[in-house]
Amino acid sequence: VTATIAATIIVLSFFIKRGPLLYNLMWFWARSILFIYNVKVHVRGRENIPSGGCLFLFNHSSHFDILALA
């Protein structure tokens, strides 16, 4: 899954600098890996995220942190 989607994103990034297509591919990649490894993501405190920009910090307690954040 990673090799296929990474190759697709690399090729598309020459033509598309940002946008929903690249975001959706990244989201699909993350969700696919989490599904394959049966990782469940539970979000608590979503109401505390401001409507503007913010910075997320986490301690990398596993290899799934980046995928869960995506």
Side-chain angles (χ1 to χ4, degrees):
V1 172
T2 298
T4 303
I5 293 179
T8 304
I9 289 175
I10 289 169
V11 170
L12 287 175
S13 68
F14 288 111
F15 307 103
I16 304 169
K17 295 303 177 194
R18 57 177 71 189
L21 177 61
L22 296 177
Y23 173 80
N24 288 335
L25 283 171
M26 181 272 310
W27 183 84
F28 176 76
W29 167 72
R31 298 292 288 182
S32 298
I33 300 298
L34 292 173
F35 177 78
I36 289 168
Y37 286 98
N38 196 29
V39 174
K40 306 293 184 212
V41 177
H42 300 281
V43 178
R44 287 183 282 166
R46 181 179 284 167
E47 66 278 359
N48 298 322
I49 298 174
S51 60
C54 64
L55 177 66
F56 290 101
L57 300 175
F58 48 96
N59 63 0
H60 289 290
S61 59
S62 77
H63 293 293
F64 296 109
D65 292 348
I66 298 298
L67 302 171
L69 188 59

